[in-house]
Amino acid sequence: MVSRPAIPLARHLLRVRDLIDRAYAEQLDVAALARSASVSPSYFSRSFKAAFGETPHQYLMSRRMERAKALLRAGELSVTDVCLAVGFTSLGSFSTQFRRVVGESPSAYRRRDDHAALARLPGCYVRMWTRPGT
């Protein structure tokens, strides 16, 4: 049975999750995130997973992939520019991670025909339907 984190820690976890949502493109590591929650890295990782169902790294990768997919759908940036915009420093790492999460390469995802249909939908539905499953 998984226990829930204490209420005061839950507020810190929400703040850290908001930080990840805002600063997904920056170099975030578990130690820095744990410091912002005022707990040890191992306790932070366990508490984050208990509260949100995924590790801090998985959550960060999900946010980065969501943003990458949105930028690729827009078609205004090259794959390399998208890679850098979402916080990756290596195009190879980005492409490998993107393929693992999405199931196809960033270039193939950009070429898909269904992006025009998604443009007519509210953003909350697009995020829900295109959220990567890590």
Side-chain angles (χ1 to χ4, degrees):
M1 176 175 242
V2 176
S3 64
R4 295 283 177 196
I7 296 299
L9 178 59
R11 286 193 191 116
H12 291 301
L13 291 174
L14 289 171
R15 286 188 200 120
V16 170
R17 189 181 68 177
D18 291 343
L19 171 65
I20 293 171
D21 289 341
R22 278 191 319 274
Y24 62 87
E26 296 177 16
Q27 295 301 319
L28 300 173
D29 62 353
V30 172
L33 296 172
R35 277 192 304 277
S36 68
S38 302
V39 295
S40 73
S42 59
Y43 183 75
F44 169 72
S45 291
R46 287 191 311 272
S47 299
F48 193 95
K49 183 165 183 162
F52 302 117
E54 56 189 342
T55 67
H57 180 73
Q58 289 169 330
Y59 187 81
L60 174 61
M61 287 299 114
S62 293
R63 298 297 76 75
R64 286 180 174 177
M65 290 300 120
E66 281 179 2
R67 186 64 183 141
K69 288 170 70 175
L71 291 171
L72 289 168
R73 281 193 305 272
E76 297 170 0
L77 298 174
S78 69
V79 173
T80 303
D81 291 337
V82 170
C83 162
L84 298 173
V86 299
F88 284 87
T89 56
S90 162
L91 182 58
S93 296
F94 170 69
S95 296
T96 299
Q97 187 77 358
F98 192 90
R99 182 182 297 275
R100 186 185 67 74
V101 171
V102 178
E104 59 188 329
S105 71
S107 299
Y109 182 80
R110 170 180 274 164
R111 288 191 300 267
R112 285 176 43 185
D113 295 337
D114 61 350
H115 298 314
L118 292 175
R120 294 188 300 264
L121 297 173
C124 58
Y125 287 110
V126 173
R127 282 189 300 278
M128 180 179 66
W129 288 328
T130 63
R131 174 160 281 157
T134 54

